[in-house]
Amino acid sequence: MINVSETLRNLDSSLGGNISLINDYRDFFREKINLDKEYGLKLQALSKKHISKAEKTGNSSKFDHVWLEILRENENLGGRFLEYSKKEKHQVNKALKAAVGKLEALRKKQQVFSVQVYHEKDQFFRNCDKLRTIYQTKCLSLDAARQKYEKCPDDKQMPKLKRLWQNEVAFYNNAKNDYFLSIEKANTFLSKLENEGLMGICQIYKNIFEDRNKEVKRIFKKSCELNKDIFEVSKSESVSENIDSMDCTIDINKLYESVKVEISVSITAPLFVSEEKFDDQPGLVLDTRSKTYLVNRLIKDQEIFKAKTKNIEFKQNELEGLFKLLSTYTDNPQLGNIDSVQDVILYV
Amino acid sequence: MINVSETLRNLDSSLGGNISLINDYRDFFREKINLDKEYGLKLQALSKKHISKAEKTGNSSKFDHVWLEILRENENLGGRFLEYSKKEKHQVNKALKAAVGKLEALRKKQQVFSVQVYHEKDQFFRNCDKLRTIYQTKCLSLDAARQKYEKCPDDKQMPKLKRLWQNEVAFYNNAKNDYFLSIEKANTFLSKLENEGLMGICQIYKNIFEDRNKEVKRIFKKSCELNKDIFEVSKSESVSENIDSMDCTIDINKLYESVKVEISVSITAPLFVSEEKFDDQPGLVLDTRSKTYLVNRLIKDQEIFKAKTKNIEFKQNELEGLFKLLSTYTDNPQLGNIDSVQDVILYV
């Protein structure tokens, strides 16, 4: 058995770890950007001071001309450092901040989703308890009706009491079937969650992690490109090559294996508990009256299922259209904002 | 007429201006070197802090590996800035300091030389004064001897007084010749100084300026080369090219024209002043006794001249040898110290 809540918590903490790493990158770049800016400002001020001095004292010889040119090159280098730190700020640090913001928003949505899953599970479990109470009540009513009939001193009253007793039998059967089915549903929900649902959630996390990896890779690469504009980096080409060779894909099975928490026994799946005197076994009562009741319930549930399926189909169509839009925007970024489409996708 | 002292002062102040410009270069580079060192130290410390954090928190994924590599590249860049500032300190700033030191030493030697020139001129002028006083004394003695002879009442004493008077004439002639020659010598010295000596001094300054230019050009070029090791400088290649095209030669005539100070009348050249009663004209007395005296003087002077010429020849041979050594050391710097040879050359 899989401990769903622990597994979801592991997924969430793994995402948290990823966000925290990006914040480490941001801390480093923030300080580095300040160093670059400080260096640029100081070199510019120093050069300007000496340019104005050289312009005053120089005698327009070739040497003075070259000296002024050296100073202007240094002033220019200071300016290039300022430009570089500005680009780093926008194209590296603000991009990392945006990535963190996006991941935090996704994490919140995933946390809300986890709460919803629990809420749904609780509803199934509460339903079991409610129907068990009805089943217990019906057991008592049935017992009372049977005793009333058996202890009846008056033959005239007997048929009427027998009919009432048989009605109680039907009520008791339906209550037992409802209670049994609620337990089946709760266990099916848990089993689906363990076997398919968690994998689906892993798929969502896989997509988030891959998006995060691609964005970090893009930003690392951008940082390398910016360095090339200002530093002599021919000796550190290997970093750029290693960034190029970074694999952003996540193996979903490895992800699942790394987060899933297995336990020996399910401590949460509900079991059918018979009323003491009745010694009922789990299973459906299938006499004619009970069958009719079950058929009617099936028709009702099918209607709910149809409505939900329709809603899912509608949302799937909507998603397909949005993914097409996303892919168009990804190919031609000038057509529209990718992030806003992604937000809508997540909302759907 | 050229005002020698003003002209020499202009040459000295031109050299002073050149030294002052190099000190400006040094001021700039000293501050820039500090900026480079500061940046290197801070970037290294920042990278080290984040490397130790990344090593603690990383989970040895490809991403953690690349992130560590990025941090180590930044640590390395910090180290390169420290290395760069060290090289700038030694190959740029200390080289400029050495150039200034050398120029200051040359300037002092030139100042000492100027003082010597003045001292020599003063000696010539003092000699004129001294010999004029002797000439005046001899005039008085001659006058007294003549009067003694003319007013002599005793015929027996006459031949003795005439011999004494004729002796006084010979003393007077020698004194007048000595006085006249001292004036000729003083004026020849001044004229040689104005016409040839100043040009010779300009030649020495030309050599100093050219050496200074070559050294500054070499240091500017070195600074450009060091920049190439750390900065992306493909956009500022023009500075390096302009340094290459710097002409280090000095046009001696232009230098002379720029420093020489002309005045309408010489205020220092001495003139022959006759004793009042004698109304002597400048020129040599060339009777037999005077000629003998002059020939003896000439022989003495020729001996002094020979000794001086020998000394000059010896020093010229010494210099030739030293210049050969200098050229050998310049081609193979490991063989010996160029500067110490240059110092010996200047001393000689």
Side-chain angles (χ1 to χ4, degrees):
Chain A
M1 281 275 175
I2 303 296
N3 186 328
V4 177
S5 70
E6 279 295 316
T7 303
L8 284 175
R9 203 170 293 138
N10 280 350
L11 271 170
D12 181 65
S13 104
S14 176
L15 184 52
N18 262 280
I19 293 170
S20 156
L21 276 181
I22 298 183
N23 277 327
D24 286 348
Y25 306 160
R26 282 173 68 198
D27 285 345
F28 172 78
F29 280 112
R30 185 171 44 244
E31 287 190 65
K32 182 175 182 296
I33 289 162
N34 283 339
L35 286 189
D36 294 330
K37 189 179 169 189
E38 190 189 18
Y39 182 79
L41 282 174
K42 284 183 175 175
L43 185 58
Q44 225 178 28
L46 172 66
S47 307
K48 275 187 180 142
K49 188 176 80 181
H50 282 266
I51 286 169
S52 88
K53 194 175 178 184
E55 280 172 343
K56 268 181 218 155
T57 57
N59 49 24
S60 73
S61 72
K62 181 80 185 171
F63 269 77
D64 289 328
H65 176 73
V66 168
W67 174 237
L68 263 174
E69 219 175 4
I70 288 174
L71 292 175
R72 289 213 180 93
E73 267 308 313
N74 275 290
E75 185 192 19
N76 183 27
L77 184 63
R80 280 170 66 198
F81 260 85
L82 290 182
E83 193 60 31
Y84 166 62
S85 78
K86 254 186 215 164
K87 280 186 184 166
E88 275 184 308
K89 192 174 178 178
H90 284 92
Q91 297 177 21
V92 177
N93 231 26
K94 287 204 172 172
L96 286 172
K97 190 182 175 185
V100 166
K102 214 170 126 184
L103 285 171
E104 291 281 16
L106 287 171
R107 191 183 187 187
K108 261 182 203 148
K109 285 201 175 88
Q110 281 305 120
Q111 285 167 340
V112 167
F113 179 73
S114 292
V115 169
Q116 274 179 340
V117 166
Y118 279 102
H119 182 67
E120 217 154 319
K121 193 207 79 178
D122 284 347
Q123 270 189 322
F124 278 110
F125 279 43
R126 267 202 303 278
N127 206 32
C128 292
D129 291 341
K130 196 181 86 187
L131 293 172
R132 190 186 167 199
T133 310
I134 294 171
Y135 158 70
Q136 287 169 331
T137 317
K138 293 302 168 191
C139 282
L140 293 177
S141 304
L142 172 58
D143 207 31
R146 186 179 52 79
Q147 283 185 19
K148 230 173 192 174
Y149 167 73
E150 282 175 357
K151 289 175 186 166
C152 178
D154 185 358
D155 278 359
K156 256 168 100 188
Q157 294 239 330
M158 289 277 278
K160 189 192 164 195
L161 287 175
K162 192 179 183 180
R163 209 168 58 245
L164 286 172
W165 174 35
Q166 277 164 349
N167 277 348
E168 284 304 322
V169 168
F171 293 153
Y172 154 80
N173 282 340
N174 291 341
K176 193 205 154 195
N177 282 346
D178 282 345
Y179 173 42
F180 175 72
L181 282 175
S182 79
I183 283 166
E184 285 295 292
K185 274 188 194 170
N187 280 314
T188 306
F189 179 81
L190 261 184
S191 158
K192 284 260 178 195
L193 197 57
E194 282 166 2
N195 299 322
E196 293 162 40
L198 268 184
M199 207 39 141
I201 291 168
C202 272
Q203 181 67 45
I204 295 169
Y205 275 91
K206 170 189 148 81
N207 293 342
I208 295 172
F209 285 136
E210 284 180 350
D211 269 5
R212 176 261 184 205
N213 286 353
K214 277 181 205 156
E215 186 61 1
V216 168
K217 179 176 175 172
R218 190 190 67 76
I219 295 167
F220 280 0
K221 188 76 189 166
K222 175 53 79 181
S223 158
C224 274
E225 277 168 24
L226 292 179
N227 285 351
K228 270 186 200 169
D229 286 346
I230 196 141
F231 298 115
E232 197 292 310
V233 289
S234 63
K235 285 164 201 156
S236 51
E237 276 302 314
S238 71
V239 177
S240 181
E241 283 162 18
N242 277 326
I243 292 172
D244 286 337
S245 73
M246 274 163 94
D247 180 13
C248 295
T249 57
I250 295 282
D251 183 329
I252 188 162
N253 292 316
K254 277 191 188 160
L255 176 65
Y256 183 59
E257 288 302 317
S258 72
V259 292
K260 80 168 180 190
V261 178
E262 273 180 296
I263 42 172
S264 52
V265 185
S266 163
I267 43 163
T268 46
L271 292 167
F272 181 83
V273 180
S274 170
E275 190 57 16
E276 250 178 70
K277 290 182 190 163
F278 283 68
D279 193 27
D280 279 332
Q281 292 307 309
L284 290 172
V285 181
L286 293 170
D287 60 21
T288 321
R289 281 184 82 172
S290 302
K291 268 188 183 169
T292 312
Y293 175 80
L294 285 170
V295 166
N296 284 336
R297 270 208 53 175
L298 186 64
I299 290 165
K300 241 189 226 169
D301 280 0
Q302 273 175 338
E303 272 165 16
I304 294 168
F305 183 73
K306 256 188 203 165
K308 288 203 170 169
T309 308
K310 216 169 182 176
N311 190 25
I312 287 169
E313 269 173 16
F314 176 75
K315 294 231 166 184
Q316 267 173 342
N317 285 337
E318 209 176 340
L319 276 177
E320 262 174 44
L322 284 166
F323 275 116
K324 269 183 199 160
L325 193 65
L326 184 66
S327 134
T328 314
Y329 283 4
T330 308
D331 294 340
N332 304 291
Q334 72 281 12
L335 291 175
N337 188 329
I338 297 170
D339 285 343
S340 66
V341 179
Q342 282 181 324
D343 273 352
V344 177
I345 288 174
L346 284 166
Y347 174 77
V348 171
Chain B
M1 282 278 176
I2 304 297
N3 186 328
V4 178
S5 69
E6 279 298 312
T7 303
L8 283 175
R9 203 170 293 137
N10 279 350
L11 271 170
D12 181 64
S13 106
S14 176
L15 184 53
N18 262 278
I19 293 171
S20 156
L21 276 180
I22 298 184
N23 277 327
D24 286 349
Y25 306 160
R26 281 174 69 198
D27 285 345
F28 172 78
F29 280 114
R30 186 172 42 243
E31 286 190 64
K32 182 173 183 295
I33 289 163
N34 283 339
L35 285 188
D36 293 331
K37 188 180 170 188
E38 188 189 19
Y39 182 79
L41 282 174
K42 284 183 176 175
L43 186 57
Q44 225 179 27
L46 173 66
S47 306
K48 275 189 181 142
K49 187 177 81 181
H50 280 267
I51 285 170
S52 86
K53 193 176 180 182
E55 281 173 342
K56 268 182 217 154
T57 57
N59 49 26
S60 72
S61 72
K62 180 81 186 167
F63 270 76
D64 288 327
H65 175 74
V66 168
W67 174 235
L68 263 175
E69 220 174 3
I70 289 173
L71 291 175
R72 290 212 180 94
E73 267 308 313
N74 275 289
E75 187 193 17
N76 183 27
L77 184 63
R80 279 169 67 197
F81 260 85
L82 289 182
E83 193 61 30
Y84 166 63
S85 77
K86 257 186 216 165
K87 281 186 184 167
E88 276 184 309
K89 194 173 177 180
H90 284 92
Q91 297 176 21
V92 177
N93 231 28
K94 288 204 171 171
L96 287 172
K97 191 183 173 186
V100 166
K102 212 169 126 186
L103 287 171
E104 291 282 15
L106 288 171
R107 191 184 185 189
K108 261 182 203 151
K109 285 199 175 86
Q110 281 306 120
Q111 285 167 342
V112 167
F113 178 73
S114 293
V115 170
Q116 275 177 340
V117 166
Y118 280 103
H119 182 67
E120 217 153 321
K121 191 206 80 179
D122 285 349
Q123 271 188 321
F124 278 110
F125 279 44
R126 264 202 304 277
N127 206 33
C128 293
D129 290 343
K130 196 181 90 190
L131 293 171
R132 190 186 166 201
T133 310
I134 292 171
Y135 158 71
Q136 286 170 330
T137 316
K138 295 300 168 193
C139 282
L140 293 178
S141 302
L142 172 59
D143 208 31
R146 186 182 49 82
Q147 283 185 20
K148 229 175 194 171
Y149 167 75
E150 281 170 0
K151 289 174 186 167
C152 178
D154 181 2
D155 276 358
K156 255 172 98 185
Q157 294 243 325
M158 287 279 277
K160 190 191 167 195
L161 288 174
K162 190 175 183 183
R163 207 169 56 247
L164 286 173
W165 172 36
Q166 279 166 344
N167 276 350
E168 283 303 323
V169 169
F171 294 152
Y172 153 81
N173 281 340
N174 291 343
K176 194 204 153 196
N177 281 349
D178 281 345
Y179 173 42
F180 174 71
L181 281 174
S182 78
I183 284 165
E184 284 295 288
K185 272 189 195 167
N187 281 312
T188 306
F189 179 81
L190 262 183
S191 160
K192 282 261 179 195
L193 197 59
E194 279 165 5
N195 300 320
E196 293 161 39
L198 268 184
M199 208 38 144
I201 293 169
C202 273
Q203 181 66 47
I204 295 169
Y205 275 92
K206 170 190 149 81
N207 292 342
I208 296 173
F209 285 137
E210 284 181 351
D211 267 4
R212 176 260 185 205
N213 285 354
K214 278 181 204 154
E215 185 62 2
V216 167
K217 179 177 177 172
R218 191 189 67 75
I219 296 169
F220 280 0
K221 188 73 189 169
K222 174 54 76 181
S223 157
C224 274
E225 275 168 25
L226 293 179
N227 285 351
K228 269 188 199 167
D229 285 346
I230 197 142
F231 298 116
E232 199 291 310
V233 288
S234 62
K235 286 163 201 153
S236 49
E237 277 304 315
S238 70
V239 177
S240 180
E241 283 162 18
N242 277 326
I243 292 173
D244 286 336
S245 73
M246 273 163 95
D247 180 13
C248 294
T249 57
I250 297 282
D251 183 328
I252 190 162
N253 293 314
K254 276 190 188 160
L255 175 65
Y256 182 61
E257 287 304 315
S258 70
V259 292
K260 79 167 180 192
V261 179
E262 272 178 297
I263 44 174
S264 53
V265 185
S266 163
I267 45 163
T268 46
L271 292 168
F272 180 84
V273 181
S274 168
E275 190 55 15
E276 250 177 70
K277 291 182 192 162
F278 282 68
D279 192 26
D280 280 330
Q281 294 303 311
L284 289 173
V285 181
L286 292 170
D287 59 22
T288 320
R289 280 185 81 172
S290 301
K291 269 186 184 169
T292 312
Y293 176 80
L294 285 170
V295 166
N296 285 335
R297 269 204 57 173
L298 187 63
I299 291 165
K300 240 189 225 168
D301 281 359
Q302 272 176 338
E303 269 164 17
I304 296 169
F305 183 72
K306 255 189 203 165
K308 287 203 173 168
T309 307
K310 215 169 183 179
N311 190 27
I312 288 167
E313 269 173 16
F314 176 76
K315 294 230 168 180
Q316 266 174 344
N317 285 337
E318 208 178 341
L319 275 176
E320 261 174 44
L322 285 165
F323 275 117
K324 268 184 200 160
L325 194 66
L326 184 67
S327 136
T328 313
Y329 284 5
T330 308
D331 294 342
N332 303 292
Q334 72 280 8
L335 291 178
N337 190 329
I338 297 168
D339 285 342
S340 66
V341 178
Q342 282 180 325
D343 274 351
V344 178
I345 289 173
L346 284 166
Y347 175 76
V348 172

